Amino acid sequence: MATRRLYYDDAFEKEFTARVVYCEVRPPDVNSGITGTVWGLILDRTAFYPSSGGQPNDLGKIGDANVLDVRDEGEEILHIVDRKPSDPDVNGCINWTRRFDHMQQHTGQHLLSAMFQERFGLPTVSFHLGAEISTIDLRGPEPTAEILEGAERAANQIVFEDRPVTVRYGTAEQLARLGVRKEVERSGILRAIEIESADLQPCGGTHVKSTGQIGMVLVRRCTKIRQDWRVEFVCGGRAAKNARSDFELLRETAEKLSCAPEEVTSAATRALAERDANFKTVRATLERLAVEAAALALRSTPSGPEELRIVSRILDGVAPEYLNLFATELVKSEKTIALLAAKEEGNLLFAQHPSAGNDMNALLKKVHERFGGKGGGTRDFARGKLSDAAQADGALALAKETVYAR
Ligand SMILES: [Zn+2]
C-alpha cells in the first residue's frame, strides 16, 4: 500500500496522526550508524521526508519512538525507529528546526541554480545538502568572482521581493511548455516547484512558501571538481551563523594584529613584509657571524698529520642553518675538515675542502651506525641528525679519530 506523502501537499505540517500498516524488527545497519535493535515502520500517511534528491531525511518522533532514518522505498516510506509503537494508531511529530533549515537550503538552491543558469548560462548538474554547508555543481566555464557575486545578488533580490513558491503538477510535456529549467523524461504526472517569474523545476522535496522565508543566500567557495565547478552556499539561519562566525574570525585576527577589522588586510601585509625583512637581516647577520667565527676557528686550530686541519665544534643555541654557513666558510680553506654538531637538536654537519681527501658521507654513515641517527650527503658535504643529541661528544670524537686513522 502506497504511503500518502503529506509533505507533498503541505510542507508545513509538523504533526500528524497515522496508522501503522507494517512493523518489523530490522537487522542492525552499521553503515547508517545504527547498531542497536531497530524497527522498520510503514504508515498509511506520513509527514516525514525521506532522504532523496539531495535533501536529507527528517528526524522526530512516532509515538514514543525516535525516528532514526527515513527511506524512500518506491511507493512506500520506511521509517527506522528505536522502539515498537504500543498502539497501531500513532501521532507523528517531525523535528521542525531541522526540517525548516532543510527547506531554507533547498528552496535557496532552486533560486540560486536558476540565477546561475538564467543570468550566466551555467546549468546545475548536482546538488548536495550537507550538515553544515550545501553545494551545487555547475557545468561550463569557471565562474568568476563577479559571476558568483552576481548570482548571489540576483537571488537575494528575489528573496527581498518575497515571491510565492508554489507546487504545480503536470506531464513532462506540459511542464516543458511552461519553461521548466531542467527537462525530465519521466512519464505520468510530475510535481514541479515554481518560484514566481523566476524558476520552474521538477522536484519532490520540501520548500518554503515564499522566497522571503529563504532569509538570505550566501555564496561561499568555488572549487573545481572533475569537469564541474562546486559552489558552496548557505541560506537563512545558516547564512546568519556563517556571517557571525566570519566576523568573529575577523575580530580575533584584528585583535592579534592590533588593528581595526577593516584594516586586517593592510596590517597582515605589513606584518608579512616585516617578517621577510627580518628574515633577510637575520640571514645577513648569520653570514657575517659565520665569516668571523670561521676566521677565528681557523687561526686557533693548528694543522695535524698530513697538514690536515680539523675544526670540531659542538655549537650551543644555533639554528641548523648556521651550521651550514659556518661549515661552508671553514672549508673554503685547503686541507680543512669541519665536524660540527648542534647541541640541542643533535644535528651533525661534516664538510671538507676537496683537497682534504676524505669521504664525509661515509664518515657520517659510520657515526650513525655507532650512535644512531640518519642523514646523508656527498663526499664533501654531509648532514645528519643523531637520535640522541647527548651523543654529540662521542660522535665528533669518533669522526675525528676515523679521519686520523685513515
Ligand atoms: Zn526542490
Side-chain angles (χ1 to χ4, degrees):
M1 173 182 152
T3 310
R4 195 170 150 217
R5 299 172 188 234
L6 299 171
Y7 58 81
Y8 270 176
D9 301 324
D10 183 4
F12 282 73
E13 192 159 2
K14 308 166 184 103
E15 290 178 27
F16 63 100
T17 56
R19 199 171 170 81
V20 176
V21 296
Y22 166 92
C23 178
E24 204 170 85
V25 173
R26 308 266 303 181
D29 184 354
V30 183
N31 288 338
S32 308
I34 295 169
T35 48
T37 305
V38 293
W39 281 263
L41 211 61
I42 295 173
L43 309 174
D44 61 344
R45 58 212 291 271
T46 189
F48 278 90
Y49 183 76
S51 295
S52 60
Q55 181 179 332
N57 61 280
D58 286 329
L59 296 176
K61 290 215 147 202
I62 294 176
D64 50 3
N66 293 302
V67 176
L68 308 174
D69 196 7
V70 187
R71 298 172 193 166
D72 197 331
E73 310 251 288
E75 293 282 286
E76 286 150 344
I77 290 178
L78 182 71
H79 309 77
I80 305 297
V81 294
D82 64 353
R83 73 186 68 168
K84 188 181 174 177
S86 46
D87 194 279
D89 291 310
V90 290
N91 290 311
C93 177
I94 63 174
N95 176 334
W96 183 246
T97 309
R98 175 179 165 94
R99 160 67 88 72
F100 186 68
D101 166 57
H102 290 167
M103 286 172 23
Q104 283 189 317
Q105 312 312 313
H106 190 149
T107 317
Q109 179 263 316
H110 280 249
L111 185 54
L112 188 61
S113 286
M115 296 304 106
F116 273 118
Q117 176 146 346
E118 181 193 302
R119 314 259 168 141
F120 304 106
L122 295 167
T124 295
V125 292
S126 85
F127 162 53
H128 177 253
L129 202 174
E132 300 286 334
I133 216 133
S134 300
T135 58
I136 49 175
D137 290 353
L138 300 175
R139 187 152 296 169
E142 181 177 8
T144 59
E146 289 74 27
I147 289 179
L148 296 172
E149 206 204 317
E152 177 190 86
R153 197 176 329 112
N156 282 320
Q157 185 54 45
I158 293 173
V159 169
F160 302 153
E161 289 167 13
D162 198 21
R163 297 194 199 171
V165 177
T166 49
V167 180
R168 269 177 178 272
Y169 290 95
T171 61
E173 284 170 3
Q174 287 167 331
L175 294 178
R177 270 201 302 278
L178 292 168
V180 76
R181 175 156 52 84
K182 190 174 173 185
E183 292 193 23
V184 287
E185 288 181 0
R186 288 219 306 273
S187 58
I189 298 296
L190 299 174
R191 182 178 189 260
I193 302 305
E194 180 172 34
I195 298 174
E196 192 182 270
S197 308
D199 189 41
L200 181 66
Q201 168 74 355
C203 185
T206 57
H207 309 83
V208 295
K209 286 176 183 161
S210 66
T211 56
Q213 291 180 332
I214 296 169
M216 165 73 71
V217 179
L218 183 62
V219 171
R220 315 279 293 171
R221 276 184 312 184
C222 175
T223 47
K224 183 149 199 188
I225 301 290
R226 290 178 293 276
Q227 57 170 334
D228 299 319
W229 301 98
R230 180 158 295 174
V231 176
E232 297 180 358
F233 70 96
V234 281
C235 299
R238 292 192 192 189
K241 198 174 142 205
N242 270 263
R244 167 54 47 196
S245 65
D246 283 355
F247 182 73
E248 283 308 318
L249 267 181
L250 187 60
R251 195 187 55 73
E252 281 169 28
T253 310
E255 206 170 283
K256 291 247 184 286
L257 292 167
S258 309
C259 68
E262 307 78 65
E263 290 159 359
V264 159
T265 308
S266 56
T269 308
R270 214 160 42 234
L272 288 173
E274 271 169 29
R275 189 196 63 176
D276 291 348
N278 287 340
F279 179 81
K280 280 183 192 143
T281 309
V282 168
R283 172 88 195 183
T285 310
L286 284 178
E287 276 169 5
R288 271 209 309 281
L289 189 64
V291 170
E292 300 286 334
L296 200 65
L298 289 169
R299 275 205 300 278
S300 64
T301 311
S303 297
E306 295 178 41
E307 293 175 53
L308 272 186
R309 185 159 49 186
I310 301 182
V311 178
S312 171
R313 295 270 193 288
I314 296 177
L315 301 169
D316 205 347
V318 297
E321 184 198 3
Y322 181 73
L323 291 187
N324 279 359
L325 296 168
F326 188 37
T328 304
E329 282 307 315
L330 288 170
V331 303
K332 281 179 181 169
S333 295
E334 291 208 355
K335 292 268 184 183
T336 301
I337 294 178
L339 303 174
L340 308 177
K343 191 174 180 188
E344 292 83 2
E345 303 293 329
N347 297 74
L348 294 177
L349 203 159
F350 296 170
Q352 70 171 1
H353 186 279
S355 62
N358 271 254
D359 183 341
M360 297 296 111
N361 195 33
L363 192 61
L364 185 71
K365 198 171 164 209
K366 182 169 180 180
V367 167
H368 281 154
E369 270 164 18
R370 169 82 68 87
F371 294 99
K374 53 186 176 191
T378 64
R379 200 180 148 75
D380 293 333
F381 203 94
R383 275 181 289 199
K385 190 166 185 199
L386 289 165
S387 313
D388 175 9
Q391 301 293 335
D393 270 318
L396 294 195
L398 172 66
K400 199 167 177 179
E401 193 182 292
T402 308
V403 170
Y404 282 137
R406 217 171 56 98

